[in-house]
Structures are given as C-alpha cells and as structure tokens.
Amino acid sequence: LPPWSPPPPRVPRNTIIFLPDHPGSCRPQEGEGWERTRLLAGLGDTEAQQTTLQPLVGRVFVHTLDQETFPSLSEHVDVPPTVPITYHAHLQGHPDLPRWLRYTQRSPHHPGFLYGTPTPEDRGRQVIEVIAYNRDSFDTTWQRLVLLIGDPEGPLLPYQAEFLVRSHDVEEVLPSTPASRFLTALGGLWESGELQLLNVTSALDRGGRVPLPIEGRKEGVYIKVGSASPFSTCLKMVASPDSHARCAQGQPPLLSCYDTLAPHFRVDWCNVSLVDKSVPEPADDVPTPGDGILEHDPFFCPPTEATARDFLTDALVTLLVPLLVALLLTLLLAYIMCCRREGRLKRDLATSDIQMVHHCTIRGNTEELRQMASSREVPRPLSTLPMFNVRTGERLPPRVDSAQVPLILDQH
C-alpha cells in the first residue's frame, strides 16, 4: 500500500492563489474563481468605448442600452439575444445619474433605457459611464457616453399638453416607433402644427401605485407634447372646468371630437393638463433692499436714552414673597396637627362604656395570650371559663379547675 498522505486543503471559491516563480516575486494562479476576478480586473485595463450624443434642452432624450450599443460584449464569443444583461449608469465622478436623467430596465432580458429632459441649467458637457454585466458568463464591459447638451433649433413650443396613458408602461413608449405612433394619433385631435415629444415620465414617479400582477394591468405613463400652434377646440373642451366637474362626479369628460388615440392608447381624459406659455407671466415685484435706516416718521419716536433702573427690589419681592407664603402655610399646618390634639381623657369620656369594656377585654386577652406563649404550663385563660361575664368584665374564681382536665380522657 502507498504511504498515506493528508488530502490537500480546499480552496474557497473566488480565491486567488499566489505561487512564487522566483524569490521575491509572485503571480496569481488561475483557480476556480480566477476567471471572474480576471474579467473584473480587466475592466480597469481596457479602454472604454466612447459615444457622443447631443440632447436638446426641453426635448425628451432617449438612449437605448442593448447589445448593439455594446459591441464589445460579442467580440470574442457570440452572445445570443436571450442572454440576460444588466446595466449600471452613473455620472462620471458621482455615484448616481444627474437629476434630469433616469434609467429603467424591465428585466435582464429586456433592453435598458436612459431617458429624460434636460433643463436650461444642465447645458454643457456631461459624461455618463455605463457598465454592462453578462449574467451568464460574468463578462463585463463599459462605455462612456458624452452628452453635449445644447439649445434646440426652430420655433418655440409655447403650447404644451400632458396626457396620462393607462395602457402602457414607460419602457413601451420610449422606443421611437411607439412615440411616433402616439404623435401621429394625437395629430387627429391637435390638427394644426407639428407635434414634438417633450417629456416622458412613469406614473410611479408621480405617486402612482404599482398595479396588481394581472394581465393587462400597466403602470401608466405621462407623455408631454408641445407645439407652436394653439390648442384645438377639442382639447380646450377636455380641460374645461365643466369637464373637471364631470370627472369629479365619476362621469366621462366632454369630448367633442373622435378619440383618434383609441384603441392603441387608452388615455385618461380626466388627467389632461394644458399649459399656455405664449403669454408671458407678469414678473413679481422684487423688493428693493434699503440701507437699513428707517425714514423719519412723526408717529414713531423711539426713546434716545434708557433710564437706569434698580432691580434689587424686584428680586427681593420675587424671592421673599413665595418664601413667606410657604412659611405661613407650614406654621398653619403645624398648629392644626400638633396644637389642637383633644387628648386621651376627652377621647375616653366621649366613648361608651360598653365599647371601653370590649376594648379593655381584647387588650387584656392579648396580654394573657402573650404570657401563655412564653410558658405553656399555665392555667386555662379566664376568658374561656363559663363564669366570665362579657358585658360587665367581672371575673369570678372557678369552683373546679377544669384546666387540668384533659379534653381526651385516653391521654391518662
């Protein structure tokens, strides 16, 4: 038989083993968890793919994250479309996205979307770093999106309308095809003018509830559309106070035209809002800061000098008056408790004789029982003798000492 040798120690998963090639140097040995570690370490060594995009202020921006936007995922190995891939996006140098940009992905088998509407304060250059994870092979790659945010060209869009679409989720409206179909269908209600998509927001971001997991239930999405042409009569009627009153009573709003959005888009007409920015709002009067010195007012004459005041009297009154009141109350209570005692003689005179006899009898019996407890060889208590008169307390000597007679005769 070969000599017995102990089994080699088990190496935990995701452990890097260092074996020295020569004295003073060591290298990582590829073990069970080295493949994943090498992929993650290679993320910092590879040069990120850079893509330049140009969002416009006040216009919706949508960027799709899928295998087409990350060609490095399939450079060496063919990645089928069914492979689960997740993405993580953040602003360069920050842990999260900028305030105007959102990220959503329904599941690892669906594409991800970066969407939002930049504001005038977001003009300039922003760099978004996106990391893609292959959930099957743990391949990792990253991409840098350079956003050059500028002002839009063309006429302004002062007429803006926002619709709540109950039949779609936000991921179903972000692609270009459903968005174009919505604008085309809305053109039947807003005939004049070119419509442009301004913003897309999930109903969950507006305080909506997550729907039940029932087929056909959607989260809902708010779609804001702008145009340079005024609102149509149909849209004005939908947003009129009469329509809001009907919605408050649970009735459908007033709709004087055919709903061209149905049946592809189920719009909640009670949640339609119209904003007209063609008329500039009057600027609020900004108060002019002064020098801090009040003007001369004959009705306000503040004193120029304050007279000196002695607070010793106030302090003495504040301290001594409560002390004197407490002292008087203490003396009154002591007089009532100690100086108005009636005394034992007056108490005994006011007590009836029968009650006094009963009290003295109980006290005497108590003393007698205490004496008996100290010595058991004592005669029978007088209170148990038949010649003891309870009412008068008179004690007569017994003719026969029955204390020596045992209760049980068999004891002799």
Side-chain angles (χ1 to χ4, degrees), residues 180-196:
S180 302
R181 185 183 305 170
F182 180 82
L183 295 178
T184 304
L186 184 60
L189 302 177
W190 200 344
E191 298 176 357
S192 59
E194 181 183 359
L195 303 180
Q196 294 189 19

Side-chain angles (χ1 to χ4, degrees), residues 150-164:
D151 295 327
E153 298 179 357
L156 299 177
L157 306 177
Y159 301 96
Q160 302 175 5
E162 190 175 51
F163 304 89
L164 174 58

Side-chain angles (χ1 to χ4, degrees), residues 172-316:
E172 301 173 350
V173 182
L174 291 177
S176 58
T177 302
S180 302
R181 185 183 305 170
F182 180 82
L183 295 178
T184 304
L186 184 60
L189 302 177
W190 200 344
E191 298 176 357
S192 59
E194 181 183 359
L195 303 180
Q196 294 189 19
L197 200 61
L198 300 183
N199 193 11
V200 177
T201 308
S202 174
L204 301 182
D205 297 335
R206 296 284 190 90
R209 294 185 177 181
V210 178
L212 296 175
I214 302 176
E215 185 178 359
R217 297 291 184 92
K218 300 292 184 177
E219 298 174 356
V221 57
Y222 285 90
I223 301 178
K224 179 181 286 188
V225 180
S227 176
S229 302
F231 301 113
S232 62
T233 306
C234 181
L235 293 179
K236 292 181 180 179
M237 185 176 296
V238 170
S240 62
D242 296 338
S243 296
H244 291 303
R246 291 174 60 89
C247 291
Q249 298 176 0
Q251 301 177 4
L254 299 175
L255 190 62
S256 61
C257 54
Y258 178 71
D259 186 4
T260 58
L261 295 172
H264 302 288
F265 299 94
R266 184 167 56 88
V267 178
D268 187 359
W269 293 106
C270 291
N271 283 278
V272 176
S273 59
L274 305 180
V275 178
D276 185 3
K277 296 184 178 181
S278 59
V279 179
E281 299 180 357
D284 298 335
D285 295 336
V286 180
T288 304
D291 53 2
I293 301 176
L294 295 178
E295 300 179 357
H296 177 69
D297 189 359
F299 300 99
F300 178 72
C301 298
T304 56
E305 295 181 359
T307 58
R309 184 179 177 183
D310 188 8
F311 293 96
L312 178 61
T313 305
D314 297 339
L316 294 178

Side-chain angles (χ1 to χ4, degrees), residues 354-374:
I354 297 177
Q355 186 176 357
M356 292 297 298
V357 170
H358 185 260
H359 175 72
C360 294
T361 303
I362 294 175
R363 187 173 181 181
N365 295 338
T366 303
E367 296 294 336
E368 188 176 1
L369 290 175
R370 289 178 179 176
Q371 295 178 3
M372 291 174 58
S374 59

